[in-house]
Amino acid sequence: MRPLIVIGNWKMNGSLASNQDWVKTVARGMESGMPAGRKFVVCPPFPYLSQCAGMIKEHSLAFLSLGAQDVSAQSSGAYTGEVAASMLKEMGCSYVIVGHSECRLLHHEVDEVVAAKALEVLDNGMTPVICVGETADERNSGRAQEIVCGQVAKQVSVLQDRLADCLIAYEPVWAIGTGKVASAQVVQDMHRAIRLQLAEFDEDVASHVGILYGGSVKPDNAVELFAMPDIDGGLVGGASLNPQDFLAICQA
Ligand code: PEP
């Protein structure tokens, strides 16, 4: 049975003061217990990892893990501005997002780099959250499954059976931060296609890999999305900034 996972991606938002309020509110909300068989993760910007790790410990938030939004494909060395997976591990991270569409677009990150980053994350004992997704043009031209399954196939070719220790996040680019959520059936169909693509490599791996949906997930659409058999949770951007909305999505 795959657990349901909700990951909050704060992107480039937050401050020392607002982070403190966020964790306090989430701690209060989670105090009374959370539904069993679920995992929750928060991914603040790099400079706040240490602060958030400290607050998660201070509030004994057993339900909440720490994640990072990106990582270097290199282990160490002359890579100014980059952050190594070993450093994220030291900061208390358990999850790392790789290949987010904003990184693919703004940093020209290609599938090979995404796979190299995922390997770094795995080698340092954390879980990579590998993002895939099609653009609006690709969907409108009827190529959404071909594009997404192609991205997944490239990860399979590098990661092979180590994919069993990864999460995949299907994030249609046209749904990220736009308020345009893909319908639960469209997402379910894509998740099924991704699982079938994984099964071509190994059926056991395919049945174990969690596939999350990301793209304008909100408290009012999360219930329907998470009820789908191949949707194993969500990667939540904008709505995760509001602790009450994040809690509501975690309860969904
Ligand atoms: C994201 O950043 O991964 C994301 C899904 O953003 P939003 O929920 O704001 O669409």
Side-chain angles (χ1 to χ4, degrees):
M1 184 73 180
R2 297 181 299 269
L4 190 108
I5 305 180
V6 178
I7 302 180
N9 171 18
W10 286 359
K11 312 195 189 202
M12 199 171 70
N13 294 292
S15 67
L16 289 174
S18 67
N19 303 345
Q20 206 162 17
D21 290 344
W22 191 97
V23 175
K24 266 193 204 153
T25 307
V26 168
R28 232 177 288 127
M30 289 187 170
E31 235 165 42
S32 46
M34 294 299 282
R38 297 183 180 204
K39 293 182 181 178
F40 311 112
V41 183
V42 61
C43 300
F46 292 137
Y48 298 134
L49 286 173
S50 172
Q51 181 205 16
C52 290
M55 289 190 296
I56 287 172
K57 205 166 163 192
E58 181 192 329
H59 290 277
S60 310
L61 281 175
F63 293 107
L64 191 64
S65 301
L66 191 65
Q69 299 175 15
D70 194 12
V71 66
S72 176
Q74 315 296 332
S75 306
S76 66
Y79 300 100
T80 302
E82 300 217 9
V83 174
S86 59
M87 299 170 186
L88 298 177
K89 179 74 178 175
E90 267 196 329
M91 286 295 107
C93 290
S94 307
Y95 296 81
V96 183
I97 299 169
V98 295
H100 192 282
S101 63
E102 286 153 14
C103 298
R104 289 179 187 257
L105 186 72
L106 300 171
H107 307 157
H108 311 290
E109 209 169 281
V110 293
D111 290 314
E112 290 73 13
V113 173
V114 175
K117 289 184 172 194
L119 275 178
E120 278 295 313
V121 174
L122 287 164
D123 286 348
N124 283 277
M126 299 174 288
T127 303
V129 183
I130 303 170
C131 301
V132 295
E134 82 285 359
T135 63
D137 282 351
E138 288 163 346
R139 173 156 291 272
N140 294 338
S141 60
R143 296 170 57 226
Q145 281 201 4
E146 174 201 331
I147 296 292
V148 171
C149 289
Q151 291 170 342
V152 172
K154 292 221 178 94
Q155 298 306 310
V156 173
S157 70
V158 177
L159 299 170
Q160 304 268 306
D161 54 2
R162 298 193 75 185
L163 261 171
D165 298 319
C166 300
L167 292 171
I168 291 179
Y170 167 55
E171 298 210 304
V173 180
W174 48 270
I176 296 180
T178 59
K180 288 183 200 158
V181 67
S183 78
Q185 193 56 54
V186 163
V187 179
Q188 164 59 26
D189 290 348
M190 186 62 86
H191 283 214
R192 183 105 287 260
I194 292 172
R195 214 176 287 291
L196 289 174
Q197 179 71 43
L198 294 172
E200 274 186 27
F201 167 70
D202 186 312
E203 287 194 5
D204 200 40
V205 168
S207 66
H208 280 93
V209 172
I211 307 177
L212 314 184
Y213 167 72
S216 300
V217 175
K218 303 268 182 301
D220 59 4
N221 57 32
V223 173
E224 193 189 358
L225 285 162
F226 297 169
M228 290 291 175
D230 286 291
I231 304 180
D232 303 314
L235 178 52
V236 187
S240 73
L241 294 172
N242 178 325
Q244 299 293 1
D245 284 353
F246 182 72
L247 278 168
I249 293 168
C250 291
Q251 302 273 12

